[in-house]
């Protein structure tokens, strides 16, 4: 029994893992989080959590951390990492988007010290395996690059994340704040317009799609203004109920951490303390 299964700790687990995910979204924090004693083992334990949003959020944090090449070896060799990712992929109760995200993280880590050829073969094998678990309805994922007008600070990024997480079919996303971009992985049967509709619903941001022309130059293509019917995520409970968005104080804390990496250190120790209280090591 790894954790105290008291219901009162549930919101705590989600808020801690969401804080870690927000910290990991900032490239300046990625090395520090992986070097920290408690955070990586904590995220691995979260992969085993009974609540689907906690697992999904932990995977998003790991996806961000794995983007930093220097982190991959340590992550791959961390006790329980690869096994827990496999468990998420193979569990029949795991939602489809979460399975795809877990196999994406697994692929990145698995291929971190292979030759190119092995790497490609391994990834193809993993994908076929993931397809098998997902069933034929989940075709391959596709990547959409968005340029988002108004994406200029961490509170806007959080708004954007909340809007994207509500769409059924969104697997993962990575923010490139410096260039106001968001790279979104979605199931191939989801229309990219749905992402634009969700971002427009924030009222403060607007998305255009970044596409490459035949000559390899990037162009911005505006989406049609007609809103698309978006299928809401039903297999994951909403991250935040509509009427209960986090207090302004909390927003300030998150943006403070995001904008000053040195503030991340003290936050990480708080997270690690929480993790060591919640889990029996």
């Amino acid at each position: 029994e790894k954790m105290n299964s008291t219901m009162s700790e549930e919101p705590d687990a989600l808020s801690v893992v969401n804080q870690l995910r927000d910290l990991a979204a900032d490239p300046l924090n990625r090395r520090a989080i992986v070097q920290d004693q408690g955070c990586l083992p904590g995220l691995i334990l979260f992969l085993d959590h009974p609540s689907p949003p906690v697992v999904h959020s932990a995977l998003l944090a790991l996806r961000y951390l794995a983007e930093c090449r220097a982190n991959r070896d340590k992550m791959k060799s961390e006790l329980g990492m690869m096994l827990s990712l496999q468990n998420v992929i193979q569990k029949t109760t795991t939602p489809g988007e979460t399975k795809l995200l877990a196999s994406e993280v697994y692929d990145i880590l698995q291929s971190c010290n292979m030759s190119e050829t092995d790497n490609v073969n391994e990834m193809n094998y993993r994908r076929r395996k993931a397809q098998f678990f997902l069933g034929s309805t989940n075709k391959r994922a596709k990547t959409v690059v968005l340029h988002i007008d108004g994406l200029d600070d961490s509170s806007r990024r959080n708004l954007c994340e909340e809007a994207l997480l509500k769409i059924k079919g969104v697997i993962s996303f990575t923010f490139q704040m410096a260039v106001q971009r968001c790279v979104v992985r979605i199931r191939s049967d989801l229309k990219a317009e749905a992402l634009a509709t969700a971002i427009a619903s924030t009222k403060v941001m607007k998305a255009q799609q970044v596409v490459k022309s035949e000559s390899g130059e990037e162009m911005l293509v505006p989406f049609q203004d007609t809103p698309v019917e978006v299928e809401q995520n039903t297999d994951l409970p909403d991250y935040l109920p509509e009427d209960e968005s986090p207090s302004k104080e909390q927003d300030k804390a998150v943006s403070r951490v995001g904008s000053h990496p040195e503030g991340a250190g003290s936050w990480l120790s708080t997270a690690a303390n929480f993790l060591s209280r919640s889990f029996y090591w």
Side-chain angles (χ1 to χ4, degrees), residues 34-274:
V34 169
Q35 296 309 315
D36 184 87
Q37 293 302 299
C39 288
L40 214 49
L43 283 169
I44 292 170
L45 289 171
F46 277 139
L47 295 179
D48 214 17
H49 200 278
S51 156
V54 170
V55 175
H56 197 84
S57 196
L59 282 166
L60 281 170
L62 291 169
R63 176 73 183 78
Y64 281 131
L65 296 175
E67 259 177 54
C68 171
R69 280 176 188 283
N71 282 342
R72 290 176 191 170
D73 271 344
K74 181 163 181 1
M75 288 175 73
K76 184 182 177 181
S77 58
E78 189 71 39
L79 189 67
M81 172 72 81
M82 302 309 268
L83 205 60
S84 296
L85 288 170
Q86 277 178 322
N87 288 343
V88 174
I89 296 164
Q90 291 172 19
K91 232 188 227 161
T92 48
T93 52
T94 306
E97 283 82 14
T98 308
K99 285 189 182 191
L100 275 169
L101 177 54
S103 43
E104 206 165 276
V105 176
Y106 187 100
D107 282 351
I108 294 169
L109 298 181
Q110 186 61 35
S111 61
C112 68
N113 45 20
M114 287 187 190
S115 73
E116 278 308 300
T117 333
D118 290 348
N119 189 349
V120 170
N121 292 342
E122 172 71 21
M123 281 178 115
N124 287 340
Y125 167 70
R126 288 283 323 147
R127 281 212 185 89
R128 280 202 305 278
K129 207 166 165 190
Q131 290 316 108
F132 173 74
F133 288 122
L134 294 169
S136 53
T137 49
N138 278 321
K139 295 188 188 59
R140 286 278 300 283
K142 61 184 177 185
T143 302
V144 179
V145 182
L146 301 175
H147 182 276
I148 301 174
D149 294 313
L151 179 67
D152 42 27
D153 64 24
S154 56
S155 64
R156 290 278 175 92
R157 186 189 71 212
N158 291 347
L159 271 181
C160 201
E161 273 195 344
E162 273 170 43
L164 291 173
L165 282 168
K166 287 192 179 124
I167 306 174
K168 193 173 171 58
V170 168
I171 299 161
S172 68
F173 37 74
T174 305
F175 291 98
Q176 299 167 346
M177 297 297 286
V179 286
Q180 292 191 308
R181 282 191 183 178
C182 182
V183 181
V184 192
R185 297 274 291 158
I186 57 178
R187 289 215 317 240
S188 52
D189 52 358
L190 180 67
K191 289 189 165 54
E193 284 75 14
L195 305 177
T197 304
I199 287 162
S201 74
T202 64
K203 305 279 192 287
V204 289
M205 289 176 280
K206 193 166 184 277
Q208 293 173 287
Q209 192 170 356
V210 181
V211 294
K212 276 201 161 67
S213 68
E214 284 172 17
S215 60
E217 282 181 66
E218 289 189 345
M219 303 183 306
L220 292 182
V221 182
F223 287 101
Q224 302 306 317
D225 276 344
T226 48
V228 181
E229 263 307 294
V230 173
E231 193 185 347
Q232 295 287 302
N233 236 332
T234 46
D235 50 7
L236 287 178
D238 273 343
Y239 279 63
L240 290 167
E242 292 300 356
D243 51 3
E244 192 191 305
S245 98
S247 67
K248 285 286 161 272
E249 280 310 301
Q250 194 184 332
D251 278 353
K252 273 201 217 100
V254 171
S255 55
R256 198 167 55 240
V257 166
S259 50
H260 302 299
E262 70 275 6
S266 57
W267 197 87
L268 283 174
S269 58
T270 315
N273 283 343
F274 168 85

